[in-house]
Amino acid sequence: MTHFGINVTFCRRLWQQKQQGFWMIGLIVGLFACGQRNSSQEQPDKFNVVYSEGHLSCELQLPDKQLEVAFFPCGVNQIFALGKLAYDTSSVISEEKLPTLEFPSVTDWVGPYQVSLLENATSDLPKQFTGGWHGSNGDGTGEPTAMTKRVAVTVDGEPKSSGFSGMSELVSLNVVNLIEGYDYSGTASYLLQESVNYQLLPNCSIEVRVTIIALNDVVIHRYYGMQSQNFAVFDSVSYASPTEIMNTEPVRTNNSCLKNDAVNRIILSGEQGEYELELILNTEKGLGTFDYLADVAPRAFSADYGKSYFNLVNGKKLILKKGESVFWEGTYVFK
């Protein structure tokens, strides 16, 4: 009995040690698995860049999909601008893949202008938009009303010419455009120089700074600045401050922010949150302070034809003397 008792005690101790060992192994495996899951969801610190034949393409990695952002000459004015977004939800990323969802731009992401010479500000000429994707007919048709003067691409601080392919932590694209006014027939000259700087980052964000220089004494009657093309994957639009969402509306309707206090974000979302695009305007400086917006006008709005806008100049004229400049800053964040 004594020997049997000793054996039982020994077996019990051995079983407890095994249980503790199994628990420790399970804990280690669990922690390793969690670490693997977390590491797989970490944002990569570099992304693929191809600059070839006048097209710039950046492949950014979202948590569960890849996003291609492409820039090239667009619209009637052939402005070098955001020309295509494409989502790839396949699990394997390869050069041979085809995007599962591709959205060519059909409109401008950096707004056009209602601008004229200061001396023509009170004329009877119809105030049409020029620049961006807008031609002489006021829409996407007619004669060009703008041109791209210069394109510069910098990859990790190094200027690149067309023909580059590689990985990058930061791509800077600077586009300088010349813009006519709606009174172009009487001026025969460009009225504005528009410098658009895009900074593409691995966290799937595009920082934008637009600097506008008057080439003559001009008045800008209306200018939206930061705007978006609302693709089919988005079904709702929200207006928000840094701390709260103020109201949410169906995306394909005419709607606006219900109140203007601290509004600085437009959030597009759809597919139960699978796709999201956030437009964040810097409201601390430049045109983002809304100094040229009428008190009764909304700071952000959307249209039923599939666009969302900030409302930077509307209801108060922006007069610029030759050589004077203004700017705005914002960020597109893809999630």
Side-chain angles (χ1 to χ4, degrees):
M1 292 295 293
T2 303
H3 291 292
F4 181 77
I6 293 172
N7 289 339
V8 168
T9 302
F10 175 78
C11 290
R12 285 175 177 171
R13 289 177 179 173
L14 182 61
W15 174 247
Q16 289 173 350
Q17 291 174 355
K18 284 184 177 181
Q19 283 184 313
Q20 292 174 350
F22 292 150
W23 181 84
M24 288 301 295
I25 291 172
L27 176 62
I28 292 170
V29 170
L31 290 173
F32 178 78
C34 289
Q36 288 293 93
R37 286 195 294 270
N38 289 337
S39 63
S40 67
Q41 293 178 1
E42 288 178 357
Q43 201 74 42
D45 57 1
K46 289 190 176 183
F47 55 93
N48 189 51
V49 182
V50 177
Y51 183 33
S52 178
E53 298 181 352
H55 285 54
L56 174 65
S57 175
C58 299
E59 295 182 345
L60 306 170
Q61 190 63 49
L62 290 162
D64 58 351
K65 63 181 76 71
Q66 183 174 275
L67 173 67
E68 179 191 2
V69 182
F71 297 84
F72 46 82
C74 297
V76 63
N77 296 319
Q78 288 295 280
I79 293 293
F80 199 90
L82 179 54
K84 183 184 73 172
L85 292 174
Y87 294 97
D88 175 32
T89 57
S90 64
S91 58
V92 179
I93 299 172
S94 67
E95 294 181 357
E96 292 77 22
K97 70 178 188 323
L98 292 176
T100 54
L101 290 172
E102 184 170 301
F103 299 102
S105 293
V106 295
T107 184
D108 31 37
W109 290 70
V110 173
Y113 305 82
Q114 286 185 1
V115 59
S116 70
L117 281 173
L118 183 57
E119 63 190 54
N120 293 334
T122 58
S123 69
D124 294 331
L125 292 170
K127 292 180 176 62
Q128 298 182 150
F129 283 105
T130 58
W133 287 60
H134 291 254
S136 58
N137 293 331
D139 52 19
T141 65
E143 297 297 318
T145 61
M147 64 166 287
T148 292
K149 179 181 179 182
R150 183 172 66 253
V151 176
V153 176
T154 302
V155 178
D156 294 335
E158 295 290 331
K160 300 296 181 182
S161 57
S162 187
F164 171 81
S165 177
M167 302 296 290
S168 174
E169 295 178 356
L170 171 65
V171 171
S172 178
L173 168 63
N174 184 256
V175 181
V176 178
N177 303 316
L178 298 177
I179 314 293
E180 294 179 346
Y182 61 78
D183 55 344
Y184 49 84
S185 60
T187 64
S189 64
Y190 295 105
L191 301 186
L192 300 174
Q193 177 176 290
E194 173 190 72
S195 179
V196 186
N197 184 259
Y198 304 91
Q199 303 271 350
L200 286 91
L201 302 169
N203 63 356
C204 292
S205 68
I206 305 174
E207 297 178 355
V208 184
R209 179 184 171 98
V210 176
T211 303
I212 305 157
I213 302 174
L215 301 178
N216 211 316
D217 295 350
V218 302
V219 56
I220 299 176
H221 303 270
R222 185 171 295 185
Y223 177 62
Y224 301 135
M226 191 177 195
Q227 51 195 49
S228 67
Q229 178 179 334
N230 300 345
F231 302 122
V233 293
F234 301 126
D235 51 38
S236 69
V237 56
S238 300
Y239 304 97
S241 71
T243 59
E244 66 172 327
I245 293 177
M246 296 177 174
N247 60 296
T248 300
E249 311 292 343
V251 73
R252 288 278 175 172
T253 60
N254 295 316
N255 59 73
S256 63
C257 55
L258 293 183
K259 56 182 180 178
N260 279 336
D261 294 345
V263 167
N264 76 325
R265 292 187 294 153
I266 300 172
I267 304 170
L268 300 162
S269 61
E271 303 289 332
Q272 288 75 50
E274 184 176 350
Y275 296 92
E276 186 172 307
L277 170 58
E278 189 171 355
L279 287 70
I280 307 172
L281 179 69
N282 185 338
T283 57
E284 300 297 321
K285 58 178 67 174
L287 294 178
T289 58
F290 299 103
D291 290 342
Y292 298 94
L293 181 65
D295 295 337
V296 296
R299 292 185 177 183
F301 66 97
S302 300
D304 59 4
Y305 49 78
K307 291 196 73 173
S308 293
Y309 306 83
F310 283 104
N311 204 5
L312 302 186
V313 180
N314 192 352
K316 298 180 182 179
K317 295 178 182 178
L318 170 56
I319 296 174
L320 296 174
K321 295 292 187 179
K322 182 177 181 179
E324 290 184 338
S325 66
V326 290
F327 72 94
W328 61 267
E329 297 174 343
T331 305
Y332 293 99
V333 181
F334 296 89
K335 299 178 181 180

